[in-house]
């Protein structure tokens, strides 16, 4: 996947930071020793962890240099490392592994999460939130546009769509044997967007990226125009001209 654009992602910072707030509110730890923010992005979720745990060693991890640059600017006293979650393993004594809006990008994330839990000390917490929105119109349209334009045979575009998440039952069966406590829940947000076009802007900072990054600038514009036309047809303005972006998210809180 091409580098993420921190600037695009932060256009909707308030909305994007609400799920990690809701996830962190459920973490039962008072004073963890070492905390890691997986897929820390521009540091918005790391900032929440630093505020809640000022006496803990908190660090952020991401694979994107652009995101890490922004995160370091935002939290100059915090440590950030460039790494791939697929090959990263927690240091001994890591008692909170926090991952907001990142694990969905790793196809084998259920097994990775189980491995993290097994590596954690008793009482350690794995706290994960992932978009569970692949069946929403906004994500369906990404797949439809990808399959119907001149880019349809591009192998990177073909591989760009995320699979549906496994069911809560599948996560339960896999993770519960490695936990003393496991809580799995969904929250459906209805984000208020200024216009249907704002929905395109939102996803340019996340799930549209893998579709767009293999394309040249002309093809990108064509892809975005076709996508926005579908969005305009499906997400109708409310009485004040705004539109609601329905956004289901899956939360998993596991205590070792
Ligand atoms: C949607 S952003 C989440 C940012 C932030 N955690 C938040 O709560 O808003 C996902 C981040 O995960 C990073 N990422 C994606 N796959 C990754 C991987 N395999 N290893 C490390 N970071 C990854 C991306 O670079 C991006 O910064």
């Amino acid at each position: 996947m091409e580098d993420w654009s921190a600037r695009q992602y932060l256009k909707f910072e308030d909305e994007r930071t609400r799920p990690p707030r809701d996830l962190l509110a459920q973490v039962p730890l008072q004073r963890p020793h070492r905390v890691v923010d997986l897929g820390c992005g521009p540091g918005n979720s790391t900032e929440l962890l630093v505020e809640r745990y000022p006496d803990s060693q908190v660090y952020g991890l991401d694979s994107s240099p652009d995101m890490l640059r922004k995160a370091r600017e935002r939290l100059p006293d915090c440590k950030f490392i460039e790494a791939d979650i697929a090959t990263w393993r927690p240091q001994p004594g890591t008692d909170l592994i926090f991952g907001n809006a990142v694990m969905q990008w790793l196809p084998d994330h259920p097994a990775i999460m189980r491995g993290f839990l097994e590596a954690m000390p008793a009482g350690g917490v794995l706290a994960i939130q992932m978009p569970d929105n692949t069946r929403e119109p906004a994500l369906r349209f990404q797949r439809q546009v990808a399959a119907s334009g001149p880019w349809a045979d591009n192998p990177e575009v073909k591989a760009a769509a995320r699979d549906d998440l496994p069911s809560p039952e599948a996560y339960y069966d896999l993770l519960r044997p490695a936990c003393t406590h496991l809580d799995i829940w969904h929250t459906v947000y209805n984000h208020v967007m200024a216009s249907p076009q704002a929905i395109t802007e939102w996803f340019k900072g996340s799930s549209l990226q893998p579709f767009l990054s293999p394309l040249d600038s002309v093809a990108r514009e064509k892809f975005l125009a076709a996508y926005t036309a579908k969005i305009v047809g499906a997400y109708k303005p409310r009485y004040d001209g705004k539109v609601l972006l329905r956004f289901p998210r899956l939360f998993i809180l596991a205590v070792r």
Side-chain angles (χ1 to χ4, degrees):
M1 188 186 307
E2 201 183 71
D3 198 6
W4 289 68
S5 160
R7 189 180 54 81
Q8 187 69 30
Y9 188 73
L10 287 172
K11 280 187 185 168
F12 299 95
E13 178 171 356
D14 289 350
E15 291 83 357
R16 295 205 199 271
T17 307
R18 186 163 160 194
R21 276 187 206 290
D22 293 349
L23 177 61
L24 185 55
Q26 300 305 320
V27 173
L29 299 172
Q30 294 310 316
R31 195 181 161 167
H33 174 62
R34 186 172 292 128
V35 175
V36 59
D37 184 18
L38 295 183
C40 61
N44 51 319
S45 46
T46 322
E47 191 168 71
L48 300 177
L49 293 165
V50 169
E51 281 168 9
R52 168 129 183 228
Y53 298 121
D55 300 322
S56 303
Q57 286 176 31
V58 178
Y59 73 99
L61 177 154
D62 206 285
S63 54
S64 155
D66 184 47
M67 288 290 192
L68 288 167
R69 189 166 47 249
K70 271 272 177 269
R72 290 185 181 113
E73 276 169 28
R74 183 178 190 135
L75 296 168
D77 295 333
C78 200
K79 186 174 147 196
F80 290 96
I81 61 169
E82 187 177 331
D84 185 343
I85 294 165
T87 49
W88 175 84
R89 289 292 168 268
Q91 278 172 273
T94 302
D95 37 16
L96 174 55
I97 298 179
F98 192 86
N100 186 67
V102 61
M103 295 306 283
Q104 73 279 1
W105 291 112
L106 293 110
D108 56 347
H109 68 263
I112 294 175
M113 286 163 55
R114 166 95 189 216
F116 289 166
L117 269 174
E118 286 172 347
M120 293 181 87
V125 172
L126 175 68
I128 300 295
Q129 181 280 121
M130 292 173 281
D132 196 1
N133 60 346
T134 43
R135 293 179 205 83
E136 293 299 306
L139 276 272
R140 243 185 18 243
F141 296 156
Q142 294 175 5
R143 299 191 293 271
Q144 287 173 4
V145 174
S148 60
W151 40 73
D153 290 331
N154 180 317
E156 284 179 76
V157 173
K158 276 183 162 173
R162 269 193 351 251
D163 290 338
D164 294 347
L165 290 183
S167 66
E169 288 81 1
Y171 287 110
Y172 185 90
D173 287 344
L174 181 72
L175 300 178
R176 187 65 184 88
C179 299
T180 56
H181 172 80
L182 179 61
D183 191 4
I184 304 174
W185 73 99
H186 279 95
T187 297
V188 180
Y189 299 88
N190 286 285
H191 297 301
V192 180
M193 300 278 109
S195 63
Q197 288 75 10
I199 295 181
T200 302
E201 285 302 305
W202 172 290
F203 287 111
K204 273 166 69 182
S206 54
S207 56
L208 275 173
Q209 289 243 352
F211 293 100
L212 299 176
S213 62
L215 305 181
D216 63 31
S217 57
V218 175
R220 276 182 201 190
E221 288 314 311
K222 280 195 183 147
F223 191 110
L224 288 171
Y227 179 67
T228 304
K230 285 182 181 286
I231 292 284
V232 168
Y235 289 83
K236 294 299 179 191
R238 308 323 314 159
Y239 82 97
D240 55 359
K242 299 200 157 88
V243 293
L244 296 183
L245 173 60
R246 184 178 185 277
F247 207 129
R249 293 179 182 270
L250 177 72
F251 293 76
I252 299 178
L253 188 113
V255 182
R256 179 71 169 134

